[in-house]
mmCIF file with all atom_site columns, all heavy atoms in Angstrom:
data_model
loop_
_atom_site.group_PDB
_atom_site.id
_atom_site.type_symbol
_atom_site.label_atom_id
_atom_site.label_alt_id
_atom_site.label_comp_id
_atom_site.label_asym_id
_atom_site.label_entity_id
_atom_site.label_seq_id
_atom_site.pdbx_PDB_ins_code
_atom_site.Cartn_x
_atom_site.Cartn_y
_atom_site.Cartn_z
_atom_site.occupancy
_atom_site.B_iso_or_equiv
_atom_site.pdbx_formal_charge
_atom_site.auth_seq_id
_atom_site.auth_comp_id
_atom_site.auth_asym_id
_atom_site.auth_atom_id
_atom_site.pdbx_PDB_model_num
ATOM 1  N N   . PHE A 1 9   ? 1.962  9.484  -5.526  1.00 0.00 ? 9   PHE A N   1
ATOM 2  C CA  . PHE A 1 9   ? 2.462  10.797 -5.159  1.00 0.00 ? 9   PHE A CA  1
ATOM 3  C C   . PHE A 1 9   ? 3.530  11.267 -6.144  1.00 0.00 ? 9   PHE A C   1
ATOM 4  O O   . PHE A 1 9   ? 3.538  12.415 -6.603  1.00 0.00 ? 9   PHE A O   1
ATOM 5  C CB  . PHE A 1 9   ? 3.036  10.749 -3.734  1.00 0.00 ? 9   PHE A CB  1
ATOM 6  C CG  . PHE A 1 9   ? 3.643  12.047 -3.279  1.00 0.00 ? 9   PHE A CG  1
ATOM 7  C CD1 . PHE A 1 9   ? 2.827  13.148 -3.014  1.00 0.00 ? 9   PHE A CD1 1
ATOM 8  C CD2 . PHE A 1 9   ? 5.009  12.173 -3.107  1.00 0.00 ? 9   PHE A CD2 1
ATOM 9  C CE1 . PHE A 1 9   ? 3.381  14.353 -2.598  1.00 0.00 ? 9   PHE A CE1 1
ATOM 10 C CE2 . PHE A 1 9   ? 5.560  13.367 -2.690  1.00 0.00 ? 9   PHE A CE2 1
ATOM 11 C CZ  . PHE A 1 9   ? 4.751  14.461 -2.425  1.00 0.00 ? 9   PHE A CZ  1
ATOM 12 N N   . GLN A 1 69  ? 20.444 25.887 -40.700 1.00 0.00 ? 69  GLN A N   1
ATOM 13 C CA  . GLN A 1 69  ? 21.094 25.126 -39.624 1.00 0.00 ? 69  GLN A CA  1
ATOM 14 C C   . GLN A 1 69  ? 20.585 25.567 -38.259 1.00 0.00 ? 69  GLN A C   1
ATOM 15 O O   . GLN A 1 69  ? 20.366 24.740 -37.361 1.00 0.00 ? 69  GLN A O   1
ATOM 16 C CB  . GLN A 1 69  ? 22.607 25.314 -39.698 1.00 0.00 ? 69  GLN A CB  1
ATOM 17 C CG  . GLN A 1 69  ? 23.394 24.493 -38.671 1.00 0.00 ? 69  GLN A CG  1
ATOM 18 C CD  . GLN A 1 69  ? 23.153 23.008 -38.824 1.00 0.00 ? 69  GLN A CD  1
ATOM 19 O OE1 . GLN A 1 69  ? 23.379 22.451 -39.894 1.00 0.00 ? 69  GLN A OE1 1
ATOM 20 N NE2 . GLN A 1 69  ? 22.692 22.353 -37.763 1.00 0.00 ? 69  GLN A NE2 1
ATOM 21 N N   . ARG A 1 100 ? 7.642  21.057 -39.815 1.00 0.00 ? 100 ARG A N   1
ATOM 22 C CA  . ARG A 1 100 ? 6.436  20.245 -39.994 1.00 0.00 ? 100 ARG A CA  1
ATOM 23 C C   . ARG A 1 100 ? 6.689  18.800 -39.578 1.00 0.00 ? 100 ARG A C   1
ATOM 24 O O   . ARG A 1 100 ? 5.846  18.185 -38.910 1.00 0.00 ? 100 ARG A O   1
ATOM 25 C CB  . ARG A 1 100 ? 5.998  20.305 -41.457 1.00 0.00 ? 100 ARG A CB  1
ATOM 26 C CG  . ARG A 1 100 ? 4.632  19.670 -41.711 1.00 0.00 ? 100 ARG A CG  1
ATOM 27 C CD  . ARG A 1 100 ? 4.236  19.826 -43.165 1.00 0.00 ? 100 ARG A CD  1
ATOM 28 N NE  . ARG A 1 100 ? 2.880  19.353 -43.406 1.00 0.00 ? 100 ARG A NE  1
ATOM 29 C CZ  . ARG A 1 100 ? 2.302  19.310 -44.591 1.00 0.00 ? 100 ARG A CZ  1
ATOM 30 N NH1 . ARG A 1 100 ? 2.969  19.725 -45.663 1.00 0.00 ? 100 ARG A NH1 1
ATOM 31 N NH2 . ARG A 1 100 ? 1.065  18.861 -44.728 1.00 0.00 ? 100 ARG A NH2 1
ATOM 32 N N   . GLN A 1 184 ? 18.586 50.180 -58.600 1.00 0.00 ? 184 GLN A N   1
ATOM 33 C CA  . GLN A 1 184 ? 19.752 49.412 -58.165 1.00 0.00 ? 184 GLN A CA  1
ATOM 34 C C   . GLN A 1 184 ? 19.581 48.984 -56.710 1.00 0.00 ? 184 GLN A C   1
ATOM 35 O O   . GLN A 1 184 ? 18.995 49.708 -55.902 1.00 0.00 ? 184 GLN A O   1
ATOM 36 C CB  . GLN A 1 184 ? 21.020 50.254 -58.330 1.00 0.00 ? 184 GLN A CB  1
ATOM 37 C CG  . GLN A 1 184 ? 22.318 49.489 -58.151 1.00 0.00 ? 184 GLN A CG  1
ATOM 38 C CD  . GLN A 1 184 ? 23.521 50.315 -58.567 1.00 0.00 ? 184 GLN A CD  1
ATOM 39 O OE1 . GLN A 1 184 ? 23.405 51.236 -59.388 1.00 0.00 ? 184 GLN A OE1 1
ATOM 40 N NE2 . GLN A 1 184 ? 24.681 50.012 -58.018 1.00 0.00 ? 184 GLN A NE2 1
ATOM 41 N N   . GLN A 1 189 ? 21.107 48.514 -46.884 1.00 0.00 ? 189 GLN A N   1
ATOM 42 C CA  . GLN A 1 189 ? 22.164 49.114 -46.068 1.00 0.00 ? 189 GLN A CA  1
ATOM 43 C C   . GLN A 1 189 ? 22.361 50.600 -46.355 1.00 0.00 ? 189 GLN A C   1
ATOM 44 O O   . GLN A 1 189 ? 22.395 51.041 -47.502 1.00 0.00 ? 189 GLN A O   1
ATOM 45 C CB  . GLN A 1 189 ? 23.486 48.384 -46.318 1.00 0.00 ? 189 GLN A CB  1
ATOM 46 C CG  . GLN A 1 189 ? 23.458 46.892 -46.022 1.00 0.00 ? 189 GLN A CG  1
ATOM 47 C CD  . GLN A 1 189 ? 23.252 46.575 -44.558 1.00 0.00 ? 189 GLN A CD  1
ATOM 48 O OE1 . GLN A 1 189 ? 23.656 47.363 -43.690 1.00 0.00 ? 189 GLN A OE1 1
ATOM 49 N NE2 . GLN A 1 189 ? 22.646 45.440 -44.262 1.00 0.00 ? 189 GLN A NE2 1
ATOM 50 N N   . ASP A 1 215 ? 14.020 52.717 -44.877 1.00 0.00 ? 215 ASP A N   1
ATOM 51 C CA  . ASP A 1 215 ? 14.523 53.988 -44.360 1.00 0.00 ? 215 ASP A CA  1
ATOM 52 C C   . ASP A 1 215 ? 16.044 54.046 -44.346 1.00 0.00 ? 215 ASP A C   1
ATOM 53 O O   . ASP A 1 215 ? 16.627 55.116 -44.566 1.00 0.00 ? 215 ASP A O   1
ATOM 54 C CB  . ASP A 1 215 ? 14.013 54.206 -42.927 1.00 0.00 ? 215 ASP A CB  1
ATOM 55 C CG  . ASP A 1 215 ? 12.555 54.632 -42.879 1.00 0.00 ? 215 ASP A CG  1
ATOM 56 O OD1 . ASP A 1 215 ? 12.010 54.992 -43.936 1.00 0.00 ? 215 ASP A OD1 1
ATOM 57 O OD2 . ASP A 1 215 ? 11.968 54.591 -41.781 1.00 0.00 ? 215 ASP A OD2 1
ATOM 58 N N   . GLY A 1 251 ? 12.517 67.408 -42.015 1.00 0.00 ? 251 GLY A N   1
ATOM 59 C CA  . GLY A 1 251 ? 12.277 67.782 -43.400 1.00 0.00 ? 251 GLY A CA  1
ATOM 60 C C   . GLY A 1 251 ? 13.299 67.263 -44.387 1.00 0.00 ? 251 GLY A C   1
ATOM 61 O O   . GLY A 1 251 ? 13.217 67.547 -45.586 1.00 0.00 ? 251 GLY A O   1
ATOM 62 N N   . PHE A 1 258 ? 5.191  54.032 -42.386 1.00 0.00 ? 258 PHE A N   1
ATOM 63 C CA  . PHE A 1 258 ? 5.429  53.369 -41.102 1.00 0.00 ? 258 PHE A CA  1
ATOM 64 C C   . PHE A 1 258 ? 4.994  51.913 -41.155 1.00 0.00 ? 258 PHE A C   1
ATOM 65 O O   . PHE A 1 258 ? 3.830  51.594 -41.385 1.00 0.00 ? 258 PHE A O   1
ATOM 66 C CB  . PHE A 1 258 ? 4.661  54.089 -39.990 1.00 0.00 ? 258 PHE A CB  1
ATOM 67 C CG  . PHE A 1 258 ? 4.779  53.432 -38.641 1.00 0.00 ? 258 PHE A CG  1
ATOM 68 C CD1 . PHE A 1 258 ? 5.999  53.364 -37.987 1.00 0.00 ? 258 PHE A CD1 1
ATOM 69 C CD2 . PHE A 1 258 ? 3.674  52.879 -38.021 1.00 0.00 ? 258 PHE A CD2 1
ATOM 70 C CE1 . PHE A 1 258 ? 6.108  52.761 -36.742 1.00 0.00 ? 258 PHE A CE1 1
ATOM 71 C CE2 . PHE A 1 258 ? 3.767  52.274 -36.779 1.00 0.00 ? 258 PHE A CE2 1
ATOM 72 C CZ  . PHE A 1 258 ? 4.992  52.220 -36.143 1.00 0.00 ? 258 PHE A CZ  1
ATOM 73 N N   . VAL A 1 281 ? -5.694 29.896 -35.830 1.00 0.00 ? 281 VAL A N   1
ATOM 74 C CA  . VAL A 1 281 ? -5.198 31.227 -36.200 1.00 0.00 ? 281 VAL A CA  1
ATOM 75 C C   . VAL A 1 281 ? -5.296 31.397 -37.713 1.00 0.00 ? 281 VAL A C   1
ATOM 76 O O   . VAL A 1 281 ? -5.336 30.419 -38.466 1.00 0.00 ? 281 VAL A O   1
ATOM 77 C CB  . VAL A 1 281 ? -3.736 31.437 -35.748 1.00 0.00 ? 281 VAL A CB  1
ATOM 78 C CG1 . VAL A 1 281 ? -3.598 31.253 -34.248 1.00 0.00 ? 281 VAL A CG1 1
ATOM 79 C CG2 . VAL A 1 281 ? -2.786 30.504 -36.490 1.00 0.00 ? 281 VAL A CG2 1
ATOM 80 N N   . ASP A 1 282 ? -5.328 32.635 -38.164 1.00 0.00 ? 282 ASP A N   1
ATOM 81 C CA  . ASP A 1 282 ? -5.319 32.909 -39.602 1.00 0.00 ? 282 ASP A CA  1
ATOM 82 C C   . ASP A 1 282 ? -3.934 32.622 -40.169 1.00 0.00 ? 282 ASP A C   1
ATOM 83 O O   . ASP A 1 282 ? -2.918 32.863 -39.501 1.00 0.00 ? 282 ASP A O   1
ATOM 84 C CB  . ASP A 1 282 ? -5.680 34.367 -39.868 1.00 0.00 ? 282 ASP A CB  1
ATOM 85 C CG  . ASP A 1 282 ? -7.119 34.689 -39.501 1.00 0.00 ? 282 ASP A CG  1
ATOM 86 O OD1 . ASP A 1 282 ? -7.957 33.754 -39.565 1.00 0.00 ? 282 ASP A OD1 1
ATOM 87 O OD2 . ASP A 1 282 ? -7.394 35.847 -39.147 1.00 0.00 ? 282 ASP A OD2 1
#
Side-chain angles (χ1 to χ4, degrees):
F9 177 70
Q69 184 59 57
R100 189 177 186 183
Q184 190 170 335
Q189 302 294 330
D215 284 347
F258 177 65
V281 302
D282 293 332

